[in-house]
Amino acid sequence: MGAEPDPETMKVEPVTRHKRRAVKMDAVARRNGGITSPVVVLDLSYEGCGIETEVQFDAGEPIKLSVLGRGEIRTHVRWCKEGRAGLIFDPEETEKK
């Protein structure tokens, strides 16, 4: 197929973390198939949020997050560990609003 990348010349771009604001909001996470789980949103940034959860989510899993009075937003799971998870807001959804 193609040439293999040379690890010695590869550059890793640092992940930019946007400023987060601490919050505490009850919410519902809806998985594909309609299964819902209560979660608590712990922090917010322009790019995503951190949640507290009693269920295990998979990295990359699409989640629809619903906060009372704020509607539903499409996200995907960046990480999930020990009752917490990081969600990233899907940019195409943000651009439509």
Side-chain angles (χ1 to χ4, degrees):
M1 298 273 159
E4 292 294 319
D6 181 357
E8 293 181 19
T9 60
M10 292 175 61
K11 293 182 181 178
V12 176
E13 296 294 324
V15 174
T16 303
R17 273 184 90 153
H18 295 271
K19 188 171 183 175
R20 296 170 183 217
R21 185 167 300 263
V23 296
K24 188 169 186 181
M25 296 185 289
D26 291 329
V28 174
R30 184 161 54 97
R31 297 175 123 151
N32 284 342
I35 298 169
T36 60
S37 301
V39 298
V40 177
V41 178
L42 300 174
D43 62 63
L44 284 171
S45 76
Y46 286 110
E47 299 293 317
C49 64
I51 63 169
E52 185 175 65
T53 175
E54 293 183 7
V55 298
Q56 181 68 31
F57 295 109
D58 297 320
E61 180 178 0
I63 298 289
K64 291 182 181 175
L65 185 67
S66 180
V67 177
L68 184 63
R70 298 291 177 198
E72 191 174 74
I73 187 167
R74 292 175 191 259
T75 70
H76 64 273
V77 179
R78 179 164 185 152
W79 59 269
C80 186
K81 183 177 179 183
E82 298 175 359
R84 300 221 174 179
L87 304 180
I88 299 173
F89 302 138
D90 288 343
E92 62 274 0
E93 289 300 313
T94 303
E95 291 170 9
K96 290 180 185 176
K97 292 188 178 185

